[in-house]
Amino acid sequence: MAEGLQGRRAAVAGWCLYDWAMSAFNTVVGTFVFSRYFTDAVAADPESGARDWGFALALSGLAVAVLSPVLGAIADQGGRARPWLAVFTALTVAGSACLFLVRPDPSYILLALVAFGVAATAFELANVFYNALLQSVAPPGMIGRVSGWGWGVGYLGGLGALVLCLVLLIQTDRPLFGLLGTEDAAPVRATSVLVAVWYALFSLPLFLLVPDRAPSGLSASEAVRRGLATLAGTIRHAGRRANTVRFLIASALWRDGISTITAFGGIFAGALFGMTTAQIIVFAILLNVSAGAGAIGFAWLDDRAGAKPTLLVSLGGLLLSGLAMLLVGTPWWAWAPDLSLPLDFTPDQQWLLVFGLLLGVFFGPAQAAARSMMARLSPPDMQTEFFGLYGLTGRAIGFIGPLAYGLATDAFQSQRAGMSTVLVLFLIGMALLLTVREPPRG
């Protein structure tokens, strides 16, 4: 491994640190802090807030679905990826910072949704160009490990951002050491500024240490023309890449399941188990630790046994731990003893925490191995385009999880019924993955 990394350590470190940088946005703004602030304090009521937030996510997803394969194909023709990555990084940082202006009043709803929508769209598009750099950064035979390290470092980055939010802004009588007041929910709003600074600061190593791909020499107009033509040809002849298409659909299903858990996990824990915001943040911190450990710990399995076996193990773990979480607090769980953990959680909350942490262990490998599998399936000169298609399928299918969750919750008047739909996504994705042939590792 040392020989493989020789001369590439700085580039690998810079690439992984970008995951550390971007995870703060997903964790703090998209999942655990700002999204809940919007529904609880900005919107007229939680129901309309959840509806508006979901609408913003849907529009963002539509924009990503349309733009990601197009921009990816154009970037492949132009050669360079870092300028695109820099533009979308800057947009994510700016959109995050603007969320500080959103005060706890319904008159700020439009500002919140526009700023979040821009940031969320730019965030996903940045991912396309970031992921496309994996194959050129990773030493031969180490794509799985580098991908896993990136996911693991990313989860730890989300953890670090959450801890800072908790210690500096939320769980303190003197936010930011007394420099910030508490009126108009300023400490919660300031978490978006912390995310912006975090993202900007820790994304710099990638731009300083990771070499870009060589420019093709084509003019901008020619790169656009050839990129669109190449994309059209790829879609037109998709039948020739049936193996890749099956993987794109399979991975989109389980990625949608994971996204649904992260989007509704805080709501599930709060509504069904009565967890407070502080408890959910503690839960999120511990979950990021387990997810980071899982991503890093399973990284060796990807390169040793392959991405497909790693994914099958991970999906099996997600199914079993997810099922256990759904049983907590039901008559089928009445036999369970109290855990007596040194935390201020009820017995059912403690069991939810335990199975949630187990679930987190398999989060990282399911996503890291999917990324390395996509890199192996992509032709070397079409990496960005194929990761654009990876983003497209994720967004095209991405409405299924939230829609199924909402329909099942409404039909059965049960959050458990809603969350159970996620297990169906994992199961179908796992079954489809069994039909995918993994390319030889190299």
Side-chain angles (χ1 to χ4, degrees), residues 80-102:
R80 302 179 67 195
R82 283 196 326 190
W84 294 93
L85 184 57
V87 168
F88 292 119
T89 298
L91 284 173
T92 308
V93 169
S96 300
C98 285
L99 289 173
F100 177 74
L101 303 175
V102 178

Side-chain angles (χ1 to χ4, degrees), residues 384-410:
T384 319
E385 178 184 342
F386 271 66
F387 271 109
L389 293 171
Y390 185 71
L392 167 62
T393 51
R395 286 302 179 178
I397 289 177
F399 73 93
I400 294 177
L403 178 61
Y405 185 100
L407 291 176
T409 299
D410 184 59

Side-chain angles (χ1 to χ4, degrees), residues 73-74 77 218 220-232 385:
I74 293 171
Q77 293 299 315
L218 297 176
S221 59
E222 183 64 14
V224 170
R225 189 189 68 79
R226 291 193 184 185
L228 294 176
T230 302
L231 176 61
E385 178 184 342

Side-chain angles (χ1 to χ4, degrees), residues 28-53:
V28 177
V29 174
T31 304
F32 292 110
V33 180
F34 201 90
S35 58
R36 185 161 183 179
Y37 163 69
F38 176 82
T39 57
D40 290 350
V42 181
D45 56 77
E47 291 73 24
S48 65
R51 180 200 63 209
D52 292 343
W53 194 260

